[in-house]
Amino acid sequence: MSEIIFDAAVTLNGFLADENHNLQWLFDVPGAEKPDPELLPKNIGVHVEGANTYQWMLEHENLIDEPEKWQQFYPNITTFVFTHRNLPVPEGADVRFVSGALRDHLPTIREVAGDKNIWVLGGGELLGQFLDINALDRLALTIAPAALASGAPLLPRTLGSERLELIEARQAGPFARLVYQVLTAH
């Protein structure tokens, strides 16, 4: 059975991006440009992300002008982007824009993923929506040796320890890797 996984890098103080939705802080960490492939989720059929994450990837990787990179990064993966904006799509990419409540789109997302996993890439509000409806199976964090004064928080909600069971903690180069099984809220 497929899993829904949130897997992202965060700062020591829990930010996904800076106040301008930029992830350059992450790529300034030595070794971050070439992450350990063992850190990435396996058997992915669908990405789910917010507009800021999607737009940053487009710009950072120049994916509109170099659409062939999309297939290198995301071969045979459908991407659902939660947004109210009109955003460009790299040629040949399977990107689907949706808006509204996650609950309304989750059946379609699961159907498209089939027996493959769903990787939630960000941001924090979207992560919160998955947690709110008990739809997240795993929370994987790669903690970078960096801190930001402000920015996009990992999770702009309260999440108690009764919802998380630590299943992995290890060093990954200059990063700390923590993986939690997410337990159903009662």
Side-chain angles (χ1 to χ4, degrees):
M1 180 157 171
S2 67
E3 286 189 312
I4 299 177
I5 305 161
F6 181 90
D7 194 326
V10 297
T11 64
L12 284 171
N13 55 343
F15 290 108
L16 292 166
D18 71 15
E19 63 278 355
N20 298 314
H21 305 289
N22 192 317
L23 301 175
Q24 190 56 49
W25 62 268
L26 173 60
F27 295 98
D28 288 343
V29 175
E33 282 291 334
K34 295 274 188 190
D36 179 348
E38 290 302 310
L39 294 179
L40 302 176
K42 306 289 187 263
N43 193 33
I44 300 301
V46 168
H47 284 158
V48 180
E49 56 197 65
N52 291 326
T53 302
Y54 175 73
Q55 190 167 10
W56 189 86
M57 282 300 298
L58 289 180
E59 293 168 4
H60 183 262
E61 297 296 338
N62 196 30
L63 293 172
I64 297 301
D65 293 334
E66 300 176 59
E68 66 281 357
K69 285 183 175 180
W70 185 273
Q71 288 306 320
Q72 292 171 7
F73 297 149
Y74 314 120
N76 304 312
I77 294 175
T78 300
T79 300
F80 285 85
V81 179
F82 279 78
T83 186
H84 295 288
R85 299 183 237 167
N86 290 322
L87 298 169
V89 176
E91 185 179 328
D94 184 1
V95 177
R96 303 176 191 191
F97 298 110
V98 294
S99 62
L102 169 64
R103 180 183 310 277
D104 298 337
H105 299 286
L106 192 54
T108 301
I109 292 168
R110 287 185 188 274
E111 181 180 322
V112 170
D115 63 350
K116 293 190 172 189
N117 293 326
I118 298 166
W119 181 2
V120 182
L121 298 167
E125 178 57 35
L126 190 56
L127 167 60
Q129 289 183 45
F130 275 92
L131 289 165
D132 289 348
I133 63 171
N134 287 314
L136 192 71
D137 299 300
R138 195 171 296 240
L139 175 66
L141 304 173
T142 302
I143 301 169
L148 296 172
S150 63
L154 168 64
L155 184 61
R157 293 197 181 26
T158 300
L159 178 64
S161 60
E162 74 280 357
R163 297 276 317 270
L164 299 172
E165 179 183 326
L166 182 65
I167 58 174
E168 180 184 334
R170 67 179 175 96
Q171 181 178 352
F175 300 94
R177 178 73 168 171
L178 300 175
V179 181
Y180 295 90
Q181 190 70 38
V182 179
L183 307 174
T184 303
H186 300 289

